[in-house]
Amino acid sequence: MSQDLSNTVALLARTPAALDALLRGLSVAWTQRNEGDGTWSAFDVVGHLIHGERTDWIPRAKRILELGEAREFDAFEREGFKGEGKSMGPSLDEFARLRSESLGELERLNLRPEDLERRGKHPALGVVTLSQLLATWAAHDLTHLHQISRILAHQYREAVGPWSAYLGVLRCDGHSAP
Amino acid sequence: MSQDLSNTVALLARTPAALDALLRGLSVAWTQRNEGDGTWSAFDVVGHLIHGERTDWIPRAKRILELGEAREFDAFEREGFKGEGKSMGPSLDEFARLRSESLGELERLNLRPEDLERRGKHPALGVVTLSQLLATWAAHDLTHLHQISRILAHQYREAVGPWSAYLGVLRCDGHSAP
């Protein structure tokens, strides 16, 4: 389907509560372990989502509306969350608070259909539209929910014994861009 | 980590609320679409989880405790959910209700550490332990959360434009066993 603002907002509004329901109160054996050297824990992913909320989505939407292609987006630092946050509960609270603020800002932009076709410049990908940015915001939530479910499942990789043959999540390598 | 009953139960107890927070009230444009012919929608996945709760996990745990390897598990029908349920809200309610019942039954089994090493017979995989069954129950939730996040992201595959290069979830093929 094409990007639809109400569908995008509906998804974006649900992610904090979904992560909260999944992660709050789980032991650190689930949430602080990663998939090996150089990979992220579920806690790290929440930190990355917080950092994106502060520096990525709404700032880029405003850049498009204010300057179009004249000034490319500031680069987003994927590891920019490092050192932020101490434990899962406060990080989940912070993500929910920031997401709610972001959606309030999005609403105040009062976007018209023609605004969604406005263009901006990504430092690596080149010309993109506001519609693509908003679709990516939602899909980015989903890529990290996909990652968190994989990180958690990885902790039971040995424990499931022969059933590993049936569990697709254990064969997912993350597919991340290098 | 090895299977730990409290960690397993903590995860199993959270899945219904996580799916509820993600899926309840989302438009059918998100929840009833799949990834192409022969694939499942998010709604189908919830139906599959309901069916597993009824016929797979607790019945197999009891089979191990009652008959050990003497009688193999009944086969689990992956598509056995077909025709069950009409819409997302009632399906989420039903999954939450059944999961809560399952965890009550698990608690009443009052498993001791030595019980976890008891063995049963899977019709295709051969000898498995109760501990492996319980770990698989949790990892099975995660494989389907992984799947749901991928199915939802698929609906925005075109809408994200050039950002698809950065979204690992769009390169996941599901890794399912044939």
Side-chain angles (χ1 to χ4, degrees):
Chain A
M1 59 177 168
S2 54
Q3 198 275 131
D4 171 274
L5 199 52
S6 65
N7 282 336
T8 298
V9 168
L11 196 294
L12 290 170
R14 280 165 173 73
T15 306
L19 293 179
D20 198 285
L22 180 65
L23 298 172
R24 188 182 296 268
L26 271 190
S27 75
V28 295
W30 283 121
T31 61
Q32 295 281 359
R33 293 186 188 175
N34 61 21
E35 298 176 279
D37 287 350
T39 67
W40 291 358
S41 67
F43 176 70
D44 292 334
V45 176
V46 176
H48 166 79
L49 290 168
I50 288 171
H51 187 64
E53 220 58 28
R54 289 209 179 105
T55 68
D56 191 342
W57 308 106
I58 289 291
R60 287 181 170 190
K62 289 181 173 172
R63 176 71 54 88
I64 291 175
L65 293 170
E66 289 163 9
L67 296 169
E69 297 170 66
R71 186 161 153 220
E72 66 181 22
F73 303 146
D74 300 332
F76 177 66
E77 180 49 71
R78 285 181 71 252
E79 306 266 346
F81 66 88
K82 289 287 171 76
E84 258 201 78
K86 296 272 186 300
S87 65
M88 185 61 89
S91 288
L92 290 165
D93 290 338
E94 180 73 349
F95 177 50
R97 187 182 69 74
L98 290 168
R99 173 59 56 91
S100 175
E101 284 182 12
S102 297
L103 293 178
E105 288 207 66
L106 182 65
E107 195 176 359
R108 285 190 293 278
L109 293 177
N110 200 17
L111 297 173
R112 299 158 301 175
E114 59 267 33
D115 291 326
L116 297 175
E117 297 317 308
R118 291 176 68 173
R119 294 145 64 105
K121 195 163 171 202
H122 185 283
L125 298 171
V127 174
V128 292
T129 67
L130 180 55
S131 179
Q132 289 167 345
L133 175 72
L134 297 175
T136 301
W137 190 5
H140 179 265
D141 278 8
L142 294 167
T143 213
H144 287 296
L145 183 59
H146 183 257
Q147 179 185 22
I148 285 172
S149 61
R150 191 187 68 234
I151 297 166
L152 296 179
H154 176 77
Q155 312 312 322
Y156 266 6
R157 182 175 292 279
E158 305 302 325
V160 300
W163 266 291
S164 61
Y166 291 175
L167 293 164
V169 67
L170 296 179
R171 285 191 297 284
C172 184
D173 68 1
H175 323 280
S176 288
Chain B
M1 61 179 169
S2 54
Q3 198 275 131
D4 170 275
L5 199 53
S6 65
N7 281 337
T8 299
V9 168
L11 195 294
L12 290 170
R14 280 165 173 73
T15 306
L19 292 179
D20 198 285
L22 181 65
L23 298 173
R24 187 181 296 268
L26 272 189
S27 76
V28 295
W30 283 120
T31 62
Q32 295 282 359
R33 293 186 188 175
N34 61 21
E35 297 175 280
D37 286 350
T39 66
W40 291 358
S41 67
F43 177 70
D44 292 334
V45 176
V46 176
H48 167 79
L49 290 168
I50 287 171
H51 187 65
E53 220 57 28
R54 289 208 179 105
T55 68
D56 190 341
W57 307 106
I58 289 292
R60 287 182 169 189
K62 288 181 171 171
R63 176 70 54 89
I64 291 174
L65 293 170
E66 290 163 8
L67 297 168
E69 297 170 66
R71 188 163 151 217
E72 66 181 24
F73 304 146
D74 300 332
F76 176 64
E77 180 49 72
R78 284 181 72 253
E79 305 267 346
F81 66 88
K82 288 287 170 77
E84 257 201 80
K86 296 269 187 300
S87 65
M88 186 60 90
S91 288
L92 289 166
D93 290 339
E94 179 73 348
F95 177 50
R97 187 182 68 76
L98 291 168
R99 174 58 58 88
S100 175
E101 284 182 12
S102 297
L103 293 178
E105 288 208 66
L106 182 64
E107 195 177 358
R108 286 190 292 277
L109 292 177
N110 199 17
L111 298 174
R112 300 156 302 176
E114 59 268 33
D115 291 326
L116 297 176
E117 297 317 307
R118 293 176 69 174
R119 293 145 65 106
K121 196 166 171 197
H122 185 283
L125 298 171
V127 174
V128 292
T129 67
L130 180 55
S131 179
Q132 289 167 345
L133 176 72
L134 297 175
T136 301
W137 190 3
H140 179 265
D141 278 9
L142 294 167
T143 214
H144 286 296
L145 183 59
H146 183 257
Q147 179 184 22
I148 286 172
S149 61
R150 190 188 67 234
I151 297 166
L152 296 178
H154 176 77
Q155 311 312 321
Y156 266 5
R157 182 176 292 278
E158 305 302 325
V160 299
W163 266 291
S164 61
Y166 290 176
L167 293 163
V169 67
L170 296 179
R171 286 191 296 283
C172 184
D173 68 359
H175 324 282
S176 288

